Amino acid sequence: MGALRQRRERDNISVTANTTTPILGRRRSSGSTISKLVLRIGTLVMIVAVPMLYNMPTPDLQTSSAQKQKNDVTVKKDTNDASSEYESPKRKGGEAKTNQEASEPSIAWEIMPAADHMDATIAELKPATLCACAKCGTTSLWEELFAIVEGKSFMSMNYTGPPFISKLSNRKLWTNIEAKRRTDWSNFKDQDSFALIRDPKERIVSAWKSKVTCDTDEEIPGHRMFVPRLLKLAGPSSNMTARTDKGFPCLDLSDYLAVLSQIHAQGREGSLNEHFLPQHLGCFKDVPPSMWTVVTTISGPNALCSLKSVVSKSANMSNTDDGCQIMIKTHNYTRNVDLSRADEDILDRITIKEYEMLRKYLDA
């Protein structure tokens, strides 16, 4: 019996082996097929995906590199020379920046006769570009412009801002013109243009006297705004601090000039507020003065007639000298303040580029 049981157990093992082997064999065949299928799918995915993964980052890297180069150029323009007549051979030849080059709005206004209504005054207006540096007599300029384009005096409006008269895009005040900051200079030559300038040294001292001076017992609006900004732009390395003994921050003239000197030395003059911004980085950042129809000071004998000729169809440039009145006579602040030799040296140094660009217009 024991022998018979052992034989039956061997037979069962044999049957089990015979019936299992083909099953195992089929499993191996199925697994191999699946593996081959997976391999083929993986191969197809790699064929499609690898080129995509290889090519996709490339434009981004190129764009990033190009953008970095563009940003580097922009920073270089803003922090170094940035003078329209000095920064490129193209503008040395008397050409304006294209729209791509002048991507940031300038301080210049492009004005058009209003299109939403029409009257006799509007019919006499024409498109023009106007620009005036802060502390150059701009309030007087805009008041004269208001009388020309609106047909009435600004004083008769009893208007108080903000927005102030200098914001030409304020349609509640400037009803006969539409104005925007100019960004596209491609059609600049197609319109007449007017730029207001001032002696650079007089302007710098005037800005100190009206915005940050300590020679007053009463706080003026610029004290708490402009003094901290100037010191921040100069940076901690300047070791300059404001006076506060009068209850508000202020700067003595020598300290003010020293702060400006530090800012210029670091190439940051392009970041100055418009009241302190050098004129070659303002109206003439994108277009040199030689391309403007009129470049004049507010006290120029033909300034008012020239302004009329630029914005009005009926006025003409030949009506000058005898038929013009002076808009306003600016004050020569440099004659009314005590400047040390060091102060004069700083003024000479930080205004040299402005005088190189504007001297012949100042002497006119």
Side-chain angles (χ1 to χ4, degrees), residues 1-12:
M1 290 294 293
L4 181 59
R5 185 181 296 116
Q6 290 178 0
R7 184 178 179 180
R8 286 179 178 176
E9 288 176 355
R10 285 197 303 268
D11 291 341
N12 288 339

Side-chain angles (χ1 to χ4, degrees), residues 325-343:
Q325 66 184 67
I326 296 177
M327 287 195 212
I328 189 175
K329 183 68 176 177
T330 54
H331 299 287
N332 188 342
Y333 285 107
T334 55
R335 296 177 183 174
N336 301 323
V337 296
D338 293 326
L339 294 170
S340 67
R341 183 58 192 169
D343 295 338

Side-chain angles (χ1 to χ4, degrees), residues 185-234:
W185 295 88
S186 60
N187 66 337
F188 177 73
K189 291 183 178 180
D190 300 334
Q191 305 172 354
D192 285 339
S193 52
F194 182 99
L196 190 69
I197 62 173
R198 186 176 184 181
D199 180 271
K201 293 180 181 179
E202 289 182 12
R203 178 171 171 261
I204 287 175
V205 177
S206 175
W208 165 75
K209 199 169 186 66
S210 67
K211 301 299 177 186
V212 299
T213 181
C214 291
D215 289 353
T216 178
D217 293 326
E218 296 183 2
E219 181 177 351
I220 54 180
H223 277 138
R224 296 189 185 275
M225 178 169 61
F226 294 121
V227 173
R229 289 182 182 180
L230 286 171
L231 292 173
K232 182 177 180 180
L233 193 57

